[in-house]
Amino acid sequence: MTQLSNTTSSCEAQWKMWLLQVFVLIYLTTVCAAQDESVSPTPSVETDETFIPATAYDPPVPNLYLKSGPSDVFTSEKVILSCNVSGSSGWTFTWQKDEQPLNQNADFSFPGDGSVLIITANKKDLTGKYACKGHNQRRGGDTKTSQLVEVKVAELPTLTLKRDTPWANVFEGEAVSFSCEPPSSDWNIIWHKDQKPMNEKGSSFIIKTVTKSDEGKYTCQAQFKLRSVISGFSNTESLNVN
């Protein structure tokens, strides 16, 4: 009996000790939670305004196009280029050739706001790549440089007139022939006697029966079939009729 009573007392002591440890654990957990709640979180700032980042100005690219005919021309022809900015006004324009600025002179003309460039193609040196750029003083900004337009200037062909018969002095009734070869099939030959056009066509000109009226100085020219372009005069061949 005494032994049972001692065992019961030992169990009660262990039980009480376990309950004490549980209460201490619950207490510490409650205290820590209260301390965490006492720390105020950083409030989020809300605003009705939506932030829009600043956008950098992107200059427009002007439109450059050929206003006249082809960009491949012969000396004595003209090339006209036009430059504009789509959907905008108040621009003035400057021009450049092969990335070098142009000034108005006998070769280049861009009057007014400079939106039109007139190239008087009187020499091969005007061959190059042309571009334009816009300037707006009211807005205080420039455009980007336009795309390039390449212009090619070719010299007019030089013709050689040949007298196929070896003698320049002939008698009436004889035959005489001349030849003048065009530079290519794109050209026609124009014949002249004493600087006046003749009603003759083709690269060869034959007088089957010479008369006194055929005496004179003969030359030829080449006329381009696709445009109104005429070469200079060839050398002169004289015909003397006895």
Side-chain angles (χ1 to χ4, degrees), residues 1 19 34 43 46 85 88 113 126 156 175 190 206 225 236:
M1 188 69 178
L19 287 178
E46 296 183 359
V85 178
S88 183
D113 61 0
L126 299 183
L156 288 169
I190 304 173
I206 301 174
K225 294 179 181 179
T236 301

Side-chain angles (χ1 to χ4, degrees), residues 24-150:
V24 170
L25 181 60
I26 294 174
Y27 173 78
L28 293 176
T29 302
T30 304
V31 170
C32 290
Q35 289 179 351
D36 291 339
E37 291 177 358
S38 65
V39 179
S40 301
T42 303
S44 60
V45 178
E46 296 183 359
T47 175
D48 294 336
E49 297 181 359
T50 302
F51 175 73
I52 301 177
T55 302
Y57 172 69
D58 187 19
V61 178
N63 305 307
L64 176 60
Y65 59 93
L66 195 63
K67 195 173 183 180
S68 58
S71 58
D72 292 4
V73 296
F74 295 97
T75 52
S76 77
E77 291 191 282
K78 290 186 178 181
V79 178
I80 302 177
L81 302 177
S82 182
C83 187
N84 63 47
V85 178
S86 299
S88 183
S89 60
W91 295 91
T92 58
F93 298 90
T94 55
W95 294 87
Q96 57 183 252
K97 171 184 173 287
D98 298 330
E99 299 183 354
Q100 298 299 317
L102 294 180
N103 296 316
Q104 296 199 71
N105 51 36
D107 300 326
F108 307 110
S109 175
F110 39 97
D113 61 0
S115 60
V116 175
L117 171 65
I118 302 173
I119 305 172
T120 303
N122 51 18
K123 52 188 175 182
K124 284 189 66 175
D125 292 345
L126 299 183
T127 295
K129 296 178 179 180
Y130 292 80
C132 64
K133 190 173 183 180
H135 313 275
N136 198 316
Q137 295 181 352
R138 184 174 59 189
R139 299 179 181 178
D142 296 343
T143 67
K144 296 179 181 178
T145 303
S146 70
Q147 77 275 16
L148 300 175
V149 170
E150 186 173 8

